Amino acid sequence: MGSMKGKNTGRTLAGTRTGRSGRGKAGVAKGAVARTPFARPDWDEYFMDIAHVVARRGNCSRRRVAAVIVKDRRIVSTGYNGTPRGVRNCFEGGCARCAGSAPSGGDLGECVCSHAEENAITQAAYHGIALRGGALYCTLSPCLMCAKMIVNAGLVEVVYEKAYAFSETTRALLTEAGVRIRRLAR
């Protein structure tokens, strides 16, 4: 058998004959299915959607929050809110403040739960992953404590979906440190 190199066989991937060019009227191989456009999330939506899945792992009995840290469009760490490693889960009674009657935002000094941003940053540190230059996607805006951690970790952008206790002090700190802040509107 001779070599087929450089010869137009007129066959599609399925092996059927299509004629000399192998293409139909619209430049699509005959017998092939023409692709129609479909909805695809942009990068912000993609990472925020993943953050919502991560939030489902949260064990705080008050609310489920998540953070996803990204570098070069790759996820390098995730975190959700809940009690520290090795401590009984919040929803199992691990946090007396959350199990009690404290109002939302009240008695936070008594809460043993870690915030999602805090967990994402410490998980990266635990596994030796550098975060400098990365972006943090979070389902709720960061508090002042988490903003300080974001700055010190070298993150350069925060994208949040909903505002929660996002004070002017927090916003001013992030801005002064050169961290871009964006709210993802959906």
Side-chain angles (χ1 to χ4, degrees):
M1 222 180 216
S3 170
M4 297 295 282
K5 190 175 183 179
K7 293 185 179 178
N8 181 354
T9 63
R11 295 189 184 274
T12 65
L13 292 177
T16 59
R17 286 212 162 270
T18 61
R20 189 164 175 87
S21 72
R23 301 265 173 219
K25 289 181 183 176
V28 176
K30 289 184 182 175
V33 176
R35 305 247 184 222
T36 57
F38 57 94
R40 188 172 181 214
D42 65 24
W43 288 108
D44 285 341
E45 293 171 325
Y46 175 73
F47 293 126
M48 194 62 74
D49 287 348
I50 291 170
H52 281 280
V53 172
V54 173
R56 292 173 32 202
R57 289 283 307 153
N59 71 60
C60 179
S61 60
R62 294 279 178 118
R63 71 180 35 90
R64 289 181 170 176
V65 182
V68 173
I69 299 177
V70 175
K71 282 182 72 174
D72 301 321
R73 294 186 176 163
R74 300 290 179 254
I75 296 170
V76 295
S77 187
T78 63
Y80 50 82
N81 61 328
T83 52
R85 180 188 316 270
V87 176
R88 188 169 24 137
N89 287 325
C90 180
F91 67 82
E92 297 170 327
C95 179
R97 182 258 175 199
C98 290
S101 60
S104 180
D107 297 331
L108 292 178
E110 299 301 314
C111 183
V112 300
C113 291
S114 296
H115 290 188
E117 303 92 328
E118 176 185 6
N119 273 332
I121 291 167
T122 57
Q123 278 298 306
Y126 184 83
H127 294 286
I129 299 168
L131 300 179
R132 185 178 3 175
L136 184 138
Y137 287 80
C138 46
T139 56
L140 292 180
S141 59
C143 69
L144 182 58
M145 178 193 71
C146 289
K148 292 185 280 187
M149 294 180 74
I150 289 165
V151 169
N152 285 335
L155 295 167
V156 297
E157 184 174 33
V158 171
V159 181
Y160 67 95
E161 189 170 51
K162 295 180 181 172
Y164 173 76
F166 197 33
S167 71
E168 276 308 310
T169 304
T170 302
R171 183 179 297 281
L173 174 74
L174 292 169
T175 301
E176 182 178 347
V179 177
R180 289 183 308 278
I181 311 159
R182 292 189 296 120
R183 183 172 187 174
L184 179 62
R186 299 212 231 193

